[in-house]
Amino acid sequence: MRIVDIRETAIPLKSKLANSSFDFSEMTTSVVAVITDVIRDGKPVCGFAFNSTGRYACGAQMRERFIPRIMAAAPDTLLDATGENIDPDKVLAAMMRREKIGGDAERSIGMGTIEVAVWDAVAKIAGQPLYKVLADRFSGGTVPDKVFCYVGGGWYWPGQTIKDLQEEMRRHLDAGYNMVKMKVGGLPLDEDVRRLEAVLQIVGSGDNLAVDANGKFGRDEALAYAKALAPFKLRWFEEPCHPLDLALFAELASVYAPPLATGENLYSTQDVENLVRFGGWRAGSDIIQVDPPQAYGIAQYARTLEMLKRHGWQRSAMFPHGGNQMSLAMAAGFGLGGAESYPGVFGDFGGFADDARVENGAVTLSGRLGIGFEGQAALYKIMRELARI
Ligand code: MG
């Protein structure tokens, strides 16, 4: 058994949306296919992944360093103890050869995307959905039949009115979601508060609403927003400031009682450990949102969860960033707090299986093998063409 080829292609997301800090007009993502020599139904088993959203495609590093290192490894050295499947952790170790410690984001996204595609192949070879494989390995075999899910929405877009925003939120509730998230920081504070109050009229209470500032604020603005937002008792206040400004995180946590959230811009277990040791992050209330395909993949995510457990953190505080089929599988397999969802956003890359149902704030899981991209017709077409299957 061996990996016979790994391919990457960069696809534009074709989105006009913007958050407080940037728009997505140039955004791309790397789609990866890991092709094995295992044949099922007359075709090679292929694993797929993409590098989530918000970070650009990274095929250059993959082609120059990571893929050649995997292909140069003796195939037997990449197998698990049974010799009957690939060990994603050994694939990650092969990619890490001759890499200097630190500087994680330069490689963690490319490596993580390849690693997640390997897991897709591993689960298909095992004849199981990925969430089942993860549950057996990391979660005592417990598999939920649905996963709590909220909409990452409330973006800024040209010409948008408050009524448009309310209509968007009403659509999400009509689609079966209970909780939504909206952007803040793209307008002056008083206008953002007006937007927020308008959304609260639709979703009812602060428990059903989170806000995301996408790391925009310096100290004065972050504290001003914290003061203005606190009375609304929101589900969480996400990325108020730069993701590595641990001193400001700690200061905010000391004055802002409701939950804070961050993590989608942390790329290593050490980054996350620094957050909980020095950033004032409060176990039992705050939220951590690492995006595994951007942070070395699933095996490393399991190590991050182990580290967090040592610091008193429950998995229910974990909401992986991404809003896609990969983060859904991980939320289910690791028993996390829930997943994000981007219905109708990011073209072929947002959302879940075409037949997924959302009811009372939870999304159903399919029995498809692997991550289940085969249930997303438009996305799977891109993947199948890349793998030429
Ligand atoms: Mg965010």
Side-chain angles (χ1 to χ4, degrees), residues 92 96 104 107-108 111-112 115 267 292 294-298 300:
L92 177 62
M96 281 295 281
D104 294 281
R107 60 175 173 253
S108 68
M111 287 188 186
E115 200 259 12
Y267 300 100
Q294 296 189 352
Y296 292 113
I298 291 172
Q300 191 63 37

Side-chain angles (χ1 to χ4, degrees), residues 181 183 212 214 238-239 264 289 321 340:
K181 186 168 77 185
K183 298 298 180 186
D212 186 359
N214 290 93
E238 179 171 326
E239 290 211 296
E264 67 184 80
Q289 303 162 308
H321 172 257
E340 196 172 3

Side-chain angles (χ1 to χ4, degrees), residues 29-42:
T29 187
S30 279
V31 178
V32 167
V34 171
I35 300 152
T36 73
D37 66 351
V38 178
I39 303 295
R40 295 279 159 83
D41 300 325

